[in-house]
Amino acid sequence: MAEHEEKAVSPGTPELGAGWTAGGVTDKIAGVVLGRGGPWTRGWHAHWRWRSALLISFGGVLTLLAASTWLFMRGVGLFGVNIPVAWGFALGNFVWWIGIGHAGTFISAILLLLRQRWRTSINRYAEAMTLFAAGIAGLFPIFHLGRPWFAYWLLPYPNRMELWPQWRSPLVWDIFAISTYLLVSLLFWYVGLIPDLASLRDKAASRGKRLGYGILALGWRGDARHWRHYETAYLLLAGLATPLVVSVHTVVALDFSIGNTPGYHSTIFPPYFVAGALFSGFAMVITLAIPLRHYFRLHDFITLRHLELAAKVMLACSLFVAYGYASEIFTAYYSGDTYEIHMTQDRFTGMYAPVYWVYMFCNVVVPQLLWWRRARRNVPTLLVVSLLVNAGMWMERFVIVVQSLHADYLPSAWGVFLPSVWDWVFLLSSIALFVWLFLMFIRYLPMISMAEMRGLVQETAEEAKP
Amino acid sequence: MRRLVAPTASTAAAIGVDGGRRRVLKLMAASAALAGSGCGQPPPEKIRPYVNMPEGMAPGDPVFYASTLLRQGCGVGVLVETESGRPIKIEGNPAHPASLGAADAQSQAAILTLWDPERSRTVMRGGQPSTWTTLLDSLATQMGQEAAARGGGLRLLSGPVSSPTLLAQIGEILARFPEARWHVHDPAGCDAAKHAALQLFGGPVQPLYRLEHAHTVLSLDAELFGPSADGLRNAHDFMNARRGEPRARMYALESTPGLCGAVADTRIALSPAGMEAVLDMIASQLGVSDAMAEQRPGPQAAWVSRLCTRLSAAHGASAVIPGHSLSSRAHLLAWRINTRLGNLGRTIHPIAQRLPPAPLADGTHDAAPAPEGLGALVQAMHDGDVQTLLMLDVNPVYDSPGALDFARGLSRVACSIHMGLYRDETAHASNWHIPMAHELEAWSDARSFDGTASLVQPVIAPLYGGLSAHEVLDMLAHMRTRSAHELVRAQWRNAWNMNDAEEFERRWEEALRRGVIEEAQADRLVPIDEKALKARLPEGPGPEPQLIAVFANDHNIVSCNQANNAWLQELPRPYTKITWDNAALIGPATAGRHGLRNGDVVSLTSADKPDGLLAPVWIVPGQAEGVVTLPLGYGRHQGGSVAQGRGFDAHVLQEVRNGMSLRSAAVQLRPTGQHHAFAATQHEMGLAGREPVRSVSLHARDGADAADAAPPSLYPPRQYGGPAWGMTVDLDACIGCNACAIACQAENNIPSVGPEEVARGREMHWMRIDVYHADSGGRAQFQPMACQHCENAPCEIVCPVGATMHDSEGLNVQVYNRCVGTRFCSNNCPYKVRRFNFFDYADHDPSAAARANPDVTVRQRGVMEKCTYCVQRISHARIEAQKQGRPLRDGDVVTACEATCPTQAIVFGDTADPRSRVSRAKASARNYTVLAELNTRPRTSYLARIHDKEAGLEEEDDG
Amino acid sequence: MTPRFYGVVGRFETPDALLEAIRCLRRRDRHLRLEAYAPYAVEGLSEALDLPRGKVPLFTLIGGVLGGASGFFMQWYAAVVSFPVNIGGRPLNSWPMFIPVTFEMTILGAALAAVLGMLAVSGLPRLHHPIFDAPCFGLATRDRYFLCLRPPPGMPGPAPAKQYREVLESLGATASDEVWT
Amino acid sequence: MPQLLERSEVLLVKLILLVPVALLVLTVAGMVWRTTSPVEPGVAVPQPIPFSHKHHVGDDGIDCRYCHTTVETSASAGMPTTGICLSCHSQLFRDAPALAPLHESMQSGKPIAWNRVYDLPDFVFFNHSIHVNKGVACVSCHGRVDRMPVLVRQQAPDMQWCLDCHRDPSGRVVPLDHITAMESFPALSDAQAEQLLQSLRLEDPRRLTDCSTCHR
């Protein structure tokens, strides 16, 4: 039975470098976490880079804590919001983060259903990104409440006032959509982690780590029965998560389009928000992938093909979003509605016009570069584009939230929103929180699914057989 | 703070308003308990019942007292609502001719001044706290010396005085010190007018307008609708004349947009000199002017002659009313024209100003000579003829023309005594300062603009130990201290020369109940002196300077006592919507010529004042070009933290000519490059192609419909069992006086947030008065805008906690204690009438708690609020009706804004009852709802303004 | 207590070897108790062991239905029965506006059921298991494949450990060890 | 390869794993607690004068309205003025040391500071007069004060508790002449109850449960 003896070795495909065995990938990825053979001990300096990055971002986290304490003490007036512009940065950030929190589940769920092989090596960290982004997004509605200590009144629970949430409000839908989304994404992520946690358990040297990972692994043995149920459950989760992804940002879009404000009240919003979400999401995936593969030498796992495909998705989203922008303008003028037309003209020429044109450039013009294969396969270009798209999408949210409100129906009520210093503090420190969480993640959990990579090695090896 | 609070409490206790203190504690406890989390055992509370219950008072039930507030010395009748002895709200007194049930912004805001913890509290001597007794001692010696000199060095300075008691006391003093003089300082008044009247009538005479008889009114910069002693009445009368047949017409010539211009059929922006020219032309056309005015060619001549024909057509039913900014010559012309038009005794009554009685040898009385002006006093002070100067409730150091330099004169007075509500500029410059009691704290009496006498009845013991002017004068005259109460009663006992005590008491009680103690006598008209009428007019004005400054009374802060009032400070000016500030108002062209934008600081200099003053400009459409209007009353250095350090003091540039302080001066304007950030509440005054305000033409009044067709709805209309509350606002009657806004603020415990927050767009007024510049003439349209109480309220659907919902009578209710502050409702409100507590705006000063309306929740930080249709008044009325077992009647519920409106522009009631006033108003063809296309189905609707084509003076409408 | 015989576990280097071994054993005796362990979901493994389809999909369905139903009922009850109020003139039971929450609750119920069901049917969490005592079993989560041959329940006589080892090694196991509990 | 945990340890670990679940339960419990009324029932409040409702109401049979004068006319039931107390106590027990504060108050003119027993939040507007005029008996909220030597707060004034009655007042009202009666009103026949309701003209529960009924 000699032919059984030699191990499967990856022949080298666009998605996976050559010469990797199941053991090899396991050691490589687990190494990053367990510090054995990982970059933490290797010659080049991922270690201190990571440390300093962690410190800096932690500073940001502390700032966020301090700022929110002060916010809860003094009141939401710290932000630049007013009447008529009652929603400001907080809501913009919320939508932006939620959007970023979309790519992860999209990749792991939809690409899984579509049997996209390039999903394998990016889904894990993309899901982590999703979790963190969605979590941070969840903070902002609470920050922006007038009386945050009563935030729980939005939940249905038995109370001596015999009162309930008001189910017609999109904000209540939000609560349900986002908490569901967080929970399901968490489950999805965790279920995906179980076999890897087992691997870590079995590779870990110290008793402490074995115990920690072991408990989290729930005693996973790689039993064939486990694998069977596991795969069914995972597939079902993917099936459930797919409509969920779409629904969440649809609900977020409804926060606006349910309203009657010109600039909010538009039927294009749900699809156009979902596309925007994926747009920023994939931008963030690329933004994260590039340093990861660079610092941890993951070029064989996160290959140029991965980046290229992500870039293609981004390009598609950009086109969809551009269509959204166009249709907004078209419907405004086609409707002949004074208020819509005024709002649109104000977008073009009003006081927020510079922001508008900048994000038009970032979200519509810049991504067109990606039509060129050379651009798609050029890492620096991709990094710049994805960063611009992230910024652009934030500005888009800002303009939608603020500019629509500042001049709506009665001219007498028109007003101006100017961000206060606190608006900026909260935006920047929330980014710091995201970075911090992500750094912790790559340090303590495998950023790529080892089990699936082993499968991939085997799969590619067998395909390569004559 | 405690130091400030202590007196409040003790005085309150003294008169047994412990129920009030209980509420104070309650509110303070509440704010403490509510702040932060919503849980935790409430702090233990005390209940302090009365020792003996005052009759007619039940804790928790409001009691109304009739009293009088003073406006430039004249009385305006009010009803003061007290809750357990604490005055909390002011309404108009229907029985009083100057009110007829309405109250203006200043009267409404008086409640805040009454409770103002920054009011003066102690007798001061040379800046050091002193006592009443020490003052008495030194006063005794001082008056001893004066008595020796027959009062040669004694001077009395007061504002205009109408109080019979006070006049009598002044009379006594003048009798006792023959050499003493009484001077009157009236910064808000118009010396030119007084001078003209003096020439024509030989004595102090004021015109009393009877606009209900007027059909054609020509206003030349006149502040007909206030804020003034007769503003409410004029507004009321003119609007009645407007509602009548034929519809009354108003032509307004204005140097800066005023309230008359907004209701005018034709409004024309002119400089004061231009207006005088117009008067000249009218006079010569009517042949009452010897000087043949040069006929200016062009359009002006054209419309002036049209105007002239209209005026003479309405013989005896027209009125030509000149304002403060015009010269005394112009006032003379106006009198002549009115005489020729037969208006005297019909639309304009010249009535003599009351003077102190001067006892004659035979025991009868004669009128003392008219008081002298400020100029004479300053002259005397400079000459060192003044040893003792008593200043009653005046602040000449601040509000006298800069040219007079009153302060320097004052420094030469041996013994200067100032009496006032605040330790203002004059208080600091005088040897003595006496804290004065507020009108609502001490007994007095006053005559209204038409001579009706009413009682000034205190509704609470002096909160900060103030004294009444009567007591001080009694001191001066007789070295004794009778209480103001005794003095006033004595005065009327004499006036009625009644010895029957019982009869007197009965009549006194009656007077207290009605507020009016003596009706106006109609026979007080003063005949005009024919000779003076024929006399040669003084020379017309010289060549008009390139830029002329007009010193105007501020719309809100008319007297120094109102300057420390946050409500008035934060009340947006009708046209500029500026708060907490005054601005140099200029026209667009003038601004263009100097390249100025709103807020640019300019230096204004005049010949006399080369250093001049720095003032930020505000560009006003409809401002006469070449005229810069400088509102007075700002740039205070003393007198309270709210008053101090805001705006600029325009008095500096004010000049004096032969004793008259002028209301205009030639100035030069130079940009400085500095910029000042104003806190304005409305930034866009164009209509941007929308129709929130509408107008129908007069003759289509019953034909054409102002309303849009109601869009269809997917749902059947809701059926309401009980009353369905609704409101209409008549845009044709609204004069934009802001009274409703302040009434709402007082009724609903609405906080003021300060200039910084206003600048951030966070003002809290539930009732905002939008202004739209409908046409280039700058003739504006006001629109009171509060929650519209939509049937299909967009705010309600989006509230996640159901904090805003509909009640079974169709009110759009805001439940503060349920609100978590997502502000989604405000986003979704197309009218943007919701207000949010971004910070803890509620005033936690105990005085504020005592002032607060106990029937309205004091809102916590982070909750949304808005107009409730005065739901507390609705429940009160409902409960009373239920107790009597009867249904609610139309008029049982009167909202605060409706109650205070001088022109009855606002009508509230049950729309389900077809006979209610509001239903009848909604039946009008002028009835429309704002933004009807959104299908919000508002309960508040507006009556379109009426456009009277024939009334216009424009070419095309002619003939 | 005396240790009980759990079975013999053999180690294989490649998935093909494992599958081959399983197939042989199945051919010999359909009723053998076999447990296979692999570092990833090996294709055809469950078919080789002819494992039952499992109840996870059913659980998921039930979870989803329950979640959705309770979600809608909660809203209907709160808005129509418990505290009916007039919100913006809309009907009390404005069901179109209840759909988003209902939908989310459906997903939530289904997802929770799926995961919990999965854990339940595969007997997890189970932190202590005899198989862990097998030497080098840790490699089962790296790159080795294990097959555990277990005696039929209540099999009399001494443990057939030796026999089982021979069988496994004959089938290409590179190592085999007894597992006792 | 050694076991991760021994059997004994597994139990422990499983317990630890239950902690998050416990936390969840706790938070929910916390929420419910947060919204319970902070004012517990059954609390006896001491007063500056040891006033006994039992004695005055129970033994002497003084009607509530004798002291709480404005209960039928005003929002506040009204606390007796020193004068009202003295209308009897100027004769009775005039020298009782317990009543010293009373006489002192009358002399000094300083009111007696009673301690509040029933305290509603400031955003709740309760009007005694309308309840009394609609047949809600004193006893139904304040309990058998005729059995309370020291006044005891009867129950926490929860919104829930108010709603119970506002949703269905019919069974809970008594004829107006029994308003101040202490012993519970005898059950009515349907006809009587019907007639009573008609005489009281109670409002529709929809109006009674409007937010604006109690909150402004």
Side-chain angles (χ1 to χ4, degrees), chain B residues 715 718 720 791-793 796-797 805-806, chain C residues 85-92 94 97:
Chain B
Y715 304 124
R718 285 235 165 206
Y720 293 94
E791 296 278 5
N792 305 340
E796 293 178 358
I797 319 157
M805 39 76 77
H806 254 60
Chain C
V85 286
N86 170 2
I87 297 292
R90 308 298 194 272
L92 291 178
S94 19
M97 295 188 124

Side-chain angles (χ1 to χ4, degrees), chain C residues 6-43:
Chain C
Y6 180 81
V8 173
V9 60
R11 174 166 23 132
F12 297 81
E13 297 302 314
T14 64
D16 308 352
L18 176 69
L19 288 170
E20 192 52 46
I22 295 172
R23 295 206 185 91
C24 299
L25 286 168
R26 276 265 174 269
R27 264 185 251 107
R28 283 193 207 161
D29 177 354
R30 298 210 58 21
H31 304 296
L32 277 177
R33 288 171 74 195
L34 296 176
E35 284 173 4
Y37 300 91
Y40 59 89
V42 174
E43 238 179 319

Side-chain angles (χ1 to χ4, degrees), chain A residues 330-409:
Chain A
F330 170 77
T331 34
Y333 283 95
Y334 186 71
S335 69
D337 178 70
T338 327
Y339 313 110
E340 289 285 345
I341 292 174
H342 174 273
M343 186 277 301
T344 315
Q345 276 162 353
D346 182 72
R347 227 167 239 193
F348 294 158
T349 60
M351 70 170 290
Y352 298 108
V355 193
Y356 178 76
W357 293 114
V358 170
Y359 82 67
M360 276 296 162
F361 174 76
C362 295
N363 300 352
V364 179
V365 179
V366 173
Q368 304 311 317
L369 275 177
L370 303 177
W371 286 105
W372 285 273
R373 190 158 189 279
R374 301 247 328 280
R376 288 201 302 268
R377 298 184 72 88
N378 175 315
V379 176
T381 321
L382 277 181
L383 188 59
V384 173
V385 172
S386 58
L387 284 174
L388 283 179
V389 169
N390 277 320
M393 284 311 291
W394 184 87
M395 288 185 253
E396 185 214 79
R397 305 333 193 172
F398 170 80
V399 165
I400 289 177
V401 172
V402 168
Q403 183 271 342
S404 312
L405 283 173
H406 94 107
D408 61 353
Y409 286 103

Side-chain angles (χ1 to χ4, degrees), chain B residues 934-952:
Chain B
L934 297 179
N935 205 10
T936 52
R937 310 252 168 117
R939 281 280 178 96
T940 300
S941 60
Y942 293 83
L943 300 186
R945 179 175 187 160
I946 294 168
H947 176 49
D948 184 355
K949 268 180 139 39
E950 287 68 19

Side-chain angles (χ1 to χ4, degrees), chain B residues 559-801:
Chain B
S559 91
C560 286
N561 288 345
Q562 294 158 348
N564 205 50
N565 188 311
W567 290 354
L568 289 175
Q569 288 281 6
E570 195 158 299
L571 185 61
R573 301 326 191 255
Y575 287 88
T576 60
K577 294 298 166 191
I578 293 175
T579 64
W580 291 95
D581 231 330
N582 65 342
L585 312 176
I586 57 175
T590 316
R593 197 160 67 245
H594 297 88
L596 293 170
R597 287 171 14 263
N598 279 351
D600 288 351
V601 178
V602 300
S603 93
L604 294 163
T605 54
S606 71
D608 316 15
K609 290 271 178 218
D611 44 356
L613 64 83
L614 294 178
V617 299
W618 190 269
I619 301 161
V620 185
Q623 172 88 359
E625 301 301 345
V627 176
V628 51
T629 303
L630 306 176
L632 302 169
Y634 274 85
R636 299 287 305 276
H637 300 298
Q638 303 290 349
S641 60
V642 177
Q644 279 158 232
R646 310 192 182 286
F648 56 89
D649 175 7
H651 290 288
V652 172
L653 290 178
Q654 215 177 349
E655 292 163 10
V656 178
R657 190 162 307 128
N658 47 39
M660 289 188 290
S661 47
L662 302 184
R663 283 307 196 119
S664 63
V667 292
Q668 293 77 39
L669 181 150
R670 194 167 40 73
T672 61
Q674 294 151 283
H675 192 83
H676 172 76
F678 281 106
T681 59
Q682 183 180 344
H683 309 286
E684 173 60 52
M685 296 181 183
L687 283 167
R690 301 152 196 220
E691 290 189 300
V693 291
R694 303 181 182 181
S695 66
V696 297
S697 90
L698 174 58
H699 295 299
R701 209 191 289 189
D702 319 313
D705 207 328
D708 319 317
S713 168
L714 282 175
Y715 304 124
R718 285 235 165 206
Q719 297 308 328
Y720 293 94
W725 304 110
M727 181 183 275
T728 57
V729 182
D730 184 346
L731 295 184
D732 197 49
C734 176
I735 56 171
C737 67
N738 279 339
C740 48
I742 291 282
C744 177
Q745 183 158 29
E747 170 73 14
N748 293 301
N749 301 336
I750 298 173
S752 48
V753 297
E756 299 77 13
E757 288 295 280
V758 173
R760 288 198 194 99
R762 298 172 177 180
E763 67 276 5
M764 297 299 284
H765 295 128
W766 288 0
M767 170 72 88
R768 69 168 198 262
I769 314 297
D770 293 344
V771 64
Y772 294 106
H773 288 298
D775 51 40
S776 57
R779 198 189 72 175
Q781 173 63 62
F782 295 106
Q783 181 173 43
M785 180 58 68
C787 175
Q788 305 281 300
H789 291 270
C790 314
E791 296 278 5
N792 305 340
C795 50
E796 293 178 358
I797 319 157
V798 296
C799 176
V801 292

